[in-house]
Amino acid sequence: MSGLIGKKIGMTSIFDDNGKNIPCTVIQAGPCIVTQVRTDEVDGYNAVQLGFDDATEKSATKAELGHAKKAGTSVKRKVVEFQGFDEEYKLGDAITVEHFAEGEFVDVSGTSKGKGFQGVVKRHGFGGVGQATHGQHNRLRAPGSIGAASYPARVFKGMRMAGRMGGEKVKVQNLRVLKVVPEKNLLVVKGCVPGHKNAYVIVRK
């Protein structure tokens, strides 16, 4: 699937033609620079490597500097490979937000917000004990029993317990493109996408 690397700007809402208020996310998509072209003859598959968001030379390794120099561009913070582009691209070409059109459906993937160590009520949607009477004492959000007795004498793998929550790769599919703003490289999609503000996201169509 072809696409672009972007940055989540934040959420807002816009009104459609019928006057309905639609929640949406604003993404700065591109411009992405072609930093490498993969071919069948050399690599065994066809793909285009795109770079987004300039990094300082001071923070780059010599390998990254050489890689960027070959493409005639600056070092990029985020580099991702994409397949399925219809056009032929050369090193140093720029792909803008105009790759997308209004009304299209896109998939957006990113890293979800990290929530830290959370209990079973927040992490897995447990209901808690449900009452505060009948001898129940400060156990409202406890997980309850996690197994049986001498058989099976162990806790089954995958048992839902408290633990680290968030900070995982998440893909949200079939988000409609509501607006494309080429002058500012902005893409407005319906609904929400994973990650905090200024987090990198990958938009594919």
Side-chain angles (χ1 to χ4, degrees):
M1 292 167 75
S2 64
L4 286 177
I5 311 167
K7 188 185 278 189
K8 179 177 173 178
I9 303 298
M11 288 198 73
T12 182
S13 62
I14 58 176
F15 289 95
D16 66 3
D17 299 333
N18 301 320
K20 190 178 179 184
N21 194 15
I22 301 174
C24 54
T25 305
V26 182
I27 299 170
Q28 182 195 334
C32 294
I33 308 297
V34 177
T35 52
Q36 192 173 3
V37 178
R38 304 279 193 184
T39 58
D40 256 331
E41 301 80 57
V42 180
D43 307 288
Y45 66 101
N46 290 309
V48 175
Q49 188 190 80
L50 301 182
F52 173 71
D53 208 8
D54 293 341
T56 58
E57 289 196 5
K58 188 176 77 172
S59 63
T61 63
K62 284 194 174 180
E64 289 168 341
L65 286 167
H67 190 68
K69 191 178 178 185
K70 211 172 187 180
T73 182
S74 58
V75 181
K76 301 298 177 186
R77 286 183 188 276
K78 185 78 173 169
V79 177
V80 179
E81 268 188 16
F82 292 90
Q83 292 178 316
F85 278 105
D86 296 329
E87 302 86 18
E88 290 284 327
Y89 290 108
K90 302 189 297 293
L91 280 177
D93 284 355
I95 306 175
T96 65
V97 73
E98 290 174 282
H99 180 66
F100 300 103
E102 288 182 21
E104 278 184 337
F105 288 88
V106 295
D107 297 346
V108 182
S109 55
T111 305
S112 62
K113 285 181 179 179
K115 307 283 186 184
F117 194 101
Q118 296 298 331
V120 290
V121 173
K122 186 180 178 84
R123 193 177 188 218
H124 297 296
F126 283 20
V129 172
Q131 75 242 357
T133 56
H134 297 294
Q136 190 281 120
H137 174 65
N138 78 5
R139 307 279 300 151
L140 277 170
R141 300 172 71 88
S145 170
I146 60 164
S150 57
Y151 177 82
R154 65 192 177 93
V155 177
F156 289 121
K157 283 184 178 179
M159 179 66 62
R160 293 178 298 168
M161 294 184 177
R164 282 267 187 101
M165 183 180 173
E168 298 172 325
K169 187 177 179 185
V170 178
K171 180 189 277 188
V172 183
Q173 295 181 306
N174 297 325
L175 298 178
R176 187 154 51 90
V177 176
L178 299 176
K179 200 177 280 188
V180 178
V181 188
E183 313 87 67
K184 297 183 177 177
N185 296 306
L186 295 181
L187 190 69
V188 182
V189 297
K190 183 180 178 181
C192 55
V193 305
H196 54 80
K197 286 180 184 176
N198 293 322
Y200 292 117
V201 292
I202 294 164
V203 187
R204 298 178 190 269
K205 70 171 183 176

